[in-house]
Amino acid sequence: MENLPKKVRSKKLNTSVDLTAMVSVSFLLIIFFMLVGELSKPKGIDLSLPNNEPICNPIACIDGNRLYTILLDDDDKIITYSGLLRYPVEIPKEVKFGKNGIRTEVFLKKKEIFEYMSALGKPKSGVIIIIKPSEKSNFKNLVDILDEMKIAKIDAYAIVNEFTPEESNLLASK
């Protein structure tokens, strides 16, 4: 019995997983998703509170004197007015595309409203332009107007496709 080979028992090693790298990766992922979530939030525009003839909705109130509306129609026709059409700051007028047309008008309106708001002590509140293309206007006209907004460095503008009855009548008459 002495010659029998002894059973060799293998030593059982303690297996342990080092989770240090996993913790580092998880913290990096948490930081990444928090940063992406914060950066993807929509940015709002400071519309300031009005002084005369406010336009209020559930979100904010704005001074009607800051509004400048551009109506686009067929045959490259542009009609502009300041303020509300019911209480216009200046009467609606027809202008043309180009450097001596709508571009000059936008620059003048930007300067005029800047001076008006500076006098009220709110120099950071500038012009708000509302662009309203009609169903008859073409896509090129809309792109041209957006180019003019970029050239004039207009920060606050909106494209709206709803016409008031007064605006529809104005387009039909001119």
Side-chain angles (χ1 to χ4, degrees):
M1 280 208 164
E2 288 183 27
N3 289 342
L4 287 171
K6 288 185 176 180
K7 287 186 181 176
V8 178
R9 296 192 183 249
S10 61
K11 289 186 179 181
K12 292 194 178 186
L13 300 174
N14 284 340
T15 57
S16 63
V17 177
D18 186 17
L19 294 177
T20 307
M22 185 67 83
V23 171
S24 297
V25 168
S26 62
F27 277 121
L28 286 173
L29 285 172
I30 289 170
I31 291 170
F32 172 76
F33 285 116
M34 286 175 58
L35 181 66
V36 168
E38 192 63 34
L39 292 177
S40 66
K41 288 182 181 174
K43 305 292 183 231
I45 299 173
D46 176 28
L47 295 178
S48 82
L49 293 174
N51 285 329
N52 5 331
E53 293 300 327
I55 302 169
C56 291
N57 61 29
I59 298 172
C61 290
I62 57 173
D63 185 348
N65 293 322
R66 291 177 58 197
L67 294 176
Y68 186 63
T69 304
I70 299 173
L71 304 174
L72 302 175
D73 205 12
D74 61 343
D75 297 329
D76 297 339
K77 185 164 63 168
I78 303 172
I79 298 174
T80 64
Y81 63 91
S82 294
L84 300 173
L85 194 52
R86 283 180 245 141
Y87 314 105
V89 175
E90 60 185 38
I91 60 170
K93 62 181 171 181
E94 188 171 338
V95 295
K96 299 288 182 191
F97 279 98
K99 186 176 180 179
N100 296 326
I102 190 66
R103 185 175 304 167
T104 304
E105 291 293 322
V106 169
F107 274 114
L108 288 173
K109 189 53 63 178
K110 180 181 176 183
K111 181 182 175 195
E112 178 184 315
I113 291 176
F114 176 77
E115 290 170 356
Y116 167 75
M117 295 307 288
S118 293
L120 295 176
K122 299 178 182 179
K124 292 184 180 180
S125 301
V127 64
I128 300 172
I129 296 183
I130 301 171
I131 303 166
K132 293 188 174 188
S134 70
E135 292 179 7
K136 298 176 187 174
S137 70
N138 58 35
F139 188 69
K140 179 189 176 299
N141 291 346
L142 181 60
V143 172
D144 290 343
I145 285 294
L146 293 176
D147 287 341
E148 297 297 338
M149 298 300 109
K150 185 72 173 171
I151 291 168
K153 296 181 180 161
I154 302 296
D155 295 327
Y157 61 88
I159 301 170
V160 180
N161 63 354
E162 296 176 10
F163 282 83
T164 63
E166 295 92 1
E167 289 170 335
S168 298
N169 293 340
L170 180 64
L171 284 176
S173 69
K174 294 237 176 189

